[in-house]
Amino acid sequence: GKNCQVLSCVKANAYGHGLEAVVQAIDKETDWYGVTLLEDLEKIRALGSTKPMLLLGAIPESRIKTAIALGARLTVFDVEQAKAIAKALKKIKEKAYVHLKIETGLHRQGAGAKEIKKILRVLKKSSKIVLEGASTHFANIEDTTDHSYAMEQLKRFKESLAFIKKEGFSPKICHT
């Protein structure tokens, strides 16, 4: 659709297919890349891609400055990561664009309601952190006959987005 973009997840060496080969094959066709490691982001930049990249995992505070310099968007799913980003930004002039990962039922990585409140408090204190996006990760999505769990997750995601907006934020990219 018109308001839809494609993020190509190329973590874990593009799921074993070879990061460099995959990026070279799809760079003209994708809008974004998703990676877990900063090293993968560095490799993609070295290949010449200027596409936006979302770091899907947390990175150490010592590498946040490098990630931002490379144009990474950062995933935040706990208050410690939000505080680390805010602290790192005190040493540089750039802003950080973050995506809040919301826990809706996968129970692997994501902020629940209490954690979202804490994260938003940190973001409100920093004028250099922009909440660009919000996301969740579906669990049990392979079951193509029963969508009830996925629909429940979607409902939780929408409720969290409504809360985030009520708190004064309007992430322009909401993704699952």
Side-chain angles (χ1 to χ4, degrees), residues 18 60 92:
I92 60 175

Side-chain angles (χ1 to χ4, degrees), residues 3-176:
N3 295 321
C4 186
Q5 294 185 335
V6 174
L7 180 144
S8 297
C9 193
V10 292
K11 64 182 186 172
N13 196 28
Y15 294 93
H17 297 299
L19 180 70
E20 289 85 356
V22 170
V23 167
Q24 288 168 340
I26 68 170
D27 196 61
K28 287 183 175 75
E29 307 303 323
T30 194
D31 299 302
W32 285 69
Y33 287 106
V35 296
T36 303
L37 303 174
L38 184 57
E39 290 75 17
D40 289 339
L41 192 150
E42 290 169 323
K43 286 177 189 174
I44 295 169
R45 287 289 184 243
L47 291 168
S49 179
T50 58
K51 301 290 170 113
M53 289 193 233
L54 179 61
L55 267 172
L56 300 165
I59 60 169
E61 186 181 319
S62 61
R63 308 284 330 262
I64 291 171
K65 182 179 171 184
T66 302
I68 291 170
L70 289 167
R73 276 39 179 229
L74 307 175
T75 298
V76 177
F77 50 86
D78 64 34
V79 72
E80 288 76 22
Q81 184 71 8
K83 287 178 180 177
I85 293 167
K87 187 176 175 187
L89 288 171
K90 290 179 180 175
K91 300 171 187 152
I92 60 175
K93 64 179 184 216
E94 291 88 357
K95 290 184 175 189
Y97 293 84
V98 302
H99 290 231
L100 176 58
K101 178 97 177 262
I102 299 167
E103 169 55 50
T104 61
L106 183 65
H107 304 294
R108 183 171 28 183
Q109 180 194 68
K114 288 179 184 173
E115 197 73 8
I116 291 170
K117 286 180 188 177
K118 292 177 188 175
I119 292 167
L120 294 180
R121 274 200 291 266
V122 173
L123 301 189
K124 283 179 182 177
K125 289 179 188 171
S126 176
S127 61
K128 293 167 90 179
I129 301 178
V130 177
L131 183 60
E132 178 182 50
S135 68
T136 194
H137 196 142
F138 286 113
N140 194 32
I141 204 69
E142 294 83 14
D143 188 341
T144 57
T145 58
D146 181 4
H147 301 290
S148 58
Y149 195 75
M151 296 311 289
E152 184 59 35
Q153 282 191 266
L154 188 58
K155 179 177 168 250
R156 287 187 206 122
F157 184 54
K158 288 179 178 179
E159 288 168 353
S160 294
L161 291 176
F163 174 77
I164 290 166
K165 286 186 177 186
K166 197 180 92 185
E167 290 294 307
F169 293 89
S170 52
K172 66 178 184 173
I173 303 170
C174 298
H175 51 108
T176 59

